[in-house]
């Protein structure tokens, strides 16, 4: 899958809207999501080269997800997720071509997230930025 690098405005708008809804999750939601975390993530949406799917996590965190469609040659999917913590830490997990998961933890850095996402969609090859 080769995602469109010129992400349309509606996708960014959808992600801004998703984050706005997370400010008002049901009282029955597990742990409330930190307001500052939501504001930080909302502020970085426009800087992302490729827009993720965004989900609340029951522990009060926020998760970005990227995946690829099945490769018709080998039938494998690839998956990438970032989990954002209130202390501005990010946990990353990537699975490519049915290989073992790769895990990393780092300080929130949009440039690093963009590099990881581009590498993910380029099949693990480093990108020229």
């Amino acid at each position: 899958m080769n995602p469109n690098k010129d992400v349309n405005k509606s996708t960014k708008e959808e992600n801004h809207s998703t984050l706005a809804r997370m400010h008002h999750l049901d009282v029955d939601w597990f742990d409330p999501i930190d307001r500052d975390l939501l504001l930080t993530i909302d502020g970085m949406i426009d800087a992302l080269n490729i827009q993720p799917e965004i989900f609340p996590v029951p522990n009060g965190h926020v998760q970005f997800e990227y995946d690829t469609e099945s490769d018709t040659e080998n039938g494998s999917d690839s998956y990438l997720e970032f989990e954002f913590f209130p202390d501005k830490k990010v946990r990353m997990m990537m699975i490519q071509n049915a290989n073992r998961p790769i895990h990393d933890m780092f300080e929130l850095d949009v440039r690093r997230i963009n590099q990881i996402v581009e590498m993910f969609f380029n099949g693990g090859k480093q990108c020229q930025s």
Side-chain angles (χ1 to χ4, degrees), residues 96-110:
Q96 287 189 300
N97 304 321
N99 290 322
R100 299 181 90 179
I102 298 168
H103 298 270
D104 195 10
M105 185 86 137
F106 54 91
E107 295 289 327
L108 186 114
D109 179 351
V110 178

Side-chain angles (χ1 to χ4, degrees), residues 109-124:
D109 179 351
V110 178
R111 287 178 298 186
R112 185 166 182 188
I113 291 169
N114 277 330
Q115 289 172 341
I116 292 169
V117 170
E118 288 188 25
M119 187 174 66
F120 171 75
F121 281 111
N122 284 315

Side-chain angles (χ1 to χ4, degrees), residues 6-121:
D6 299 321
V7 177
N8 67 33
K9 195 170 186 174
S10 66
T11 301
K12 289 179 182 180
E13 288 173 359
E14 288 171 8
N15 282 336
H16 286 299
S17 177
T18 296
L19 290 166
R21 284 192 307 275
M22 286 184 201
H23 279 283
H24 309 288
L25 285 174
D26 247 353
V27 208
D28 295 335
W29 184 250
F30 296 90
D31 288 335
I33 298 174
D34 183 77
R35 179 175 168 73
D36 289 338
L37 176 62
L38 288 171
L39 292 172
T40 298
I41 292 172
D42 191 59
M44 64 184 255
I45 291 297
D46 292 327
L48 294 172
N49 296 335
I50 301 170
Q51 293 295 304
E53 290 187 75
I54 302 176
F55 301 96
V57 181
N59 61 6
H61 301 166
V62 176
Q63 185 166 300
F64 285 5
E65 292 183 8
Y66 297 89
D67 61 11
T68 62
E69 297 171 1
S70 289
D71 181 336
T72 54
E73 290 180 25
N74 63 20
S76 65
D77 291 335
S78 294
Y79 175 78
L80 172 64
E81 74 177 33
F82 297 96
E83 184 175 346
F84 296 87
F85 295 75
D87 64 357
K88 308 299 187 272
K89 298 266 192 238
V90 180
R91 180 175 32 217
M92 184 269 312
M93 182 190 68
M94 181 187 317
I95 302 172
Q96 287 189 300
N97 304 321
N99 290 322
R100 299 181 90 179
I102 298 168
H103 298 270
D104 195 10
M105 185 86 137
F106 54 91
E107 295 289 327
L108 186 114
D109 179 351
V110 178
R111 287 178 298 186
R112 185 166 182 188
I113 291 169
N114 277 330
Q115 289 172 341
I116 292 169
V117 170
E118 288 188 25
M119 187 174 66
F120 171 75
F121 281 111

